[in-house]
């Protein structure tokens, strides 16, 4: 029996969300804030929490950011529905599903984690469903990050303008499984499915004109 593209989209989203939340809950309930588990010299599990967007960027209020993420996710799920209805390629639908799963994974942190977890500190491990209540309120939870890949580092030569004498590290950002889903989905989309992306909006525009 041939499985539908809708089935695969739902399956990808569910599996990725489970992996994302399982990794975050384990980190949150087993590690203190800023604690490291060194797998290799270039692969480290480092528990940090992120108040803002990807890579720790904080440019707008937390409540606005959480609401924006929710609205954007509804737009993506509607887009996936249109792709399935228009019978786009399965690979392209899976890429968009990965991006959606990553977005929802971080939304779950923002909506629920402030309510269901006690606060993580460099000295204490958080508790799930603490009797005294969570560390925050709805829509104000912190996103859990943990993957750190310091592949190499060096010091820029002192004669170089602006950066001379400063330390450079690749890759210094700490991210989570949801971020990886978004990044991989976007990378594959741009490399292999950029024409499909443009075509999807062309079809939508034609439909709107005909209607």
């Amino acid at each position: 029996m041939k499985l539908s593209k809708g089935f695969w989209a739902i399956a990808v989203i569910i599996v990725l969300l489970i992996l994302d939340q399982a990794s975050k809950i384990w980190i949150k309930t087993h590690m203190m804030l800023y604690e490291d588990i060194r797998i290799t010299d270039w692969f480290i599990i480092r528990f940090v929490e992120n108040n803002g967007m990807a890579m720790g960027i904080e440019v707008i209020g937390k409540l606005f950011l959480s609401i924006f993420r929710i609205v954007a996710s509804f737009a993506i799920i509607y887009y996936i529905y249109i792709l399935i209805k228009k019978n786009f390629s399965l690979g392209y639908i899976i890429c968009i599903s990965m991006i959606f799963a990553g977005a929802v994974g971080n939304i779950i942190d923002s909506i629920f984690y402030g309510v269901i977890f006690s606060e993580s500190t460099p000295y204490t491990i958080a508790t799930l469903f603490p009797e005294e209540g969570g560390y925050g309120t709805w829509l104000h939870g912190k996103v859990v990050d943990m993957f750190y890949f310091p592949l190499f580092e060096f010091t820029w030569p002192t004669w170089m303008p602006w950066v001379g004498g400063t330390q450079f590290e690749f890759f210094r950002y700490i991210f989570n499984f949801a971020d990886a889903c978004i990044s991989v989905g976007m990378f594959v989309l741009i490399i292999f499915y950029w024409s499909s992306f443009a075509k999807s909006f062309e079809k939508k525009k034609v439909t709107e004109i005909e209607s």
Side-chain angles (χ1 to χ4, degrees):
M1 181 179 66
K2 186 177 180 180
L3 299 175
S4 69
K5 294 178 180 179
F7 170 86
W8 285 112
I10 293 171
V12 166
I13 291 167
I14 291 174
V15 169
L16 295 182
L17 280 175
I18 290 173
L19 292 174
D20 175 65
Q21 289 302 307
S23 63
K24 290 173 177 175
I25 292 171
W26 189 92
I27 292 292
K28 188 79 174 163
T29 57
H30 288 79
M31 296 180 67
M32 292 179 286
L33 195 63
Y34 309 126
E35 182 180 353
D36 285 355
I37 298 177
R38 185 174 291 272
I39 309 300
T40 68
D41 289 339
W42 52 268
F43 178 21
I44 299 170
I45 303 296
R46 175 171 295 176
F47 173 29
V48 299
E49 290 184 308
N50 172 16
N51 277 316
M53 300 181 74
M55 311 306 181
I57 300 170
E58 297 183 32
V59 292
I60 53 180
K62 179 66 179 179
L63 180 60
F64 179 84
L65 176 61
S66 296
I67 294 173
F68 173 79
R69 282 172 167 164
I70 293 171
V71 172
S73 294
F74 275 109
I76 297 173
I77 197 64
Y78 176 71
Y79 182 56
I80 293 173
Y81 166 77
I82 295 298
L83 295 177
I84 295 171
K85 189 176 180 181
K86 297 292 184 181
N87 199 32
F88 273 74
S89 69
L90 179 60
Y92 181 62
I93 292 172
I94 288 177
C95 286
I96 304 299
S97 299
M98 290 178 66
I99 295 170
F100 174 76
V104 172
N106 285 333
I107 286 172
I108 291 172
D109 297 26
S110 297
I111 295 176
F112 299 107
Y113 277 26
V115 178
I116 67 173
F117 283 109
S118 62
E119 185 176 10
S120 294
T121 75
Y123 313 102
T124 58
I125 296 175
T127 302
L128 181 62
F129 302 121
E131 293 182 3
E132 66 276 12
Y135 65 82
T137 57
W138 298 101
L139 296 173
H140 286 85
K142 299 175 183 178
V143 176
V144 175
D145 293 325
M146 76 288 289
F147 297 126
Y148 176 40
F149 292 94
L151 296 177
F152 60 86
E153 60 181 306
F154 61 85
T155 301
W156 291 104
T158 55
W159 52 265
M160 292 189 68
W162 300 298
V163 296
T166 61
Q167 193 78 8
F168 175 83
E169 181 180 74
F170 184 88
F171 182 76
R172 67 183 179 87
Y173 296 106
I174 302 173
F175 59 97
N176 58 40
F177 187 78
D179 297 330
C181 291
I182 295 172
S183 298
V184 172
M186 292 185 66
F187 177 79
V188 176
L189 185 153
I190 292 170
I191 298 300
F192 297 104
Y193 295 104
W194 183 253
S195 61
S196 295
F197 181 71
K199 186 179 179 182
S200 69
F201 285 96
E202 288 174 4
K203 283 191 175 185
K204 187 175 186 299
K205 186 176 181 181
V206 169
T207 303
E208 290 173 351
I209 293 173
E210 290 177 348
S211 60

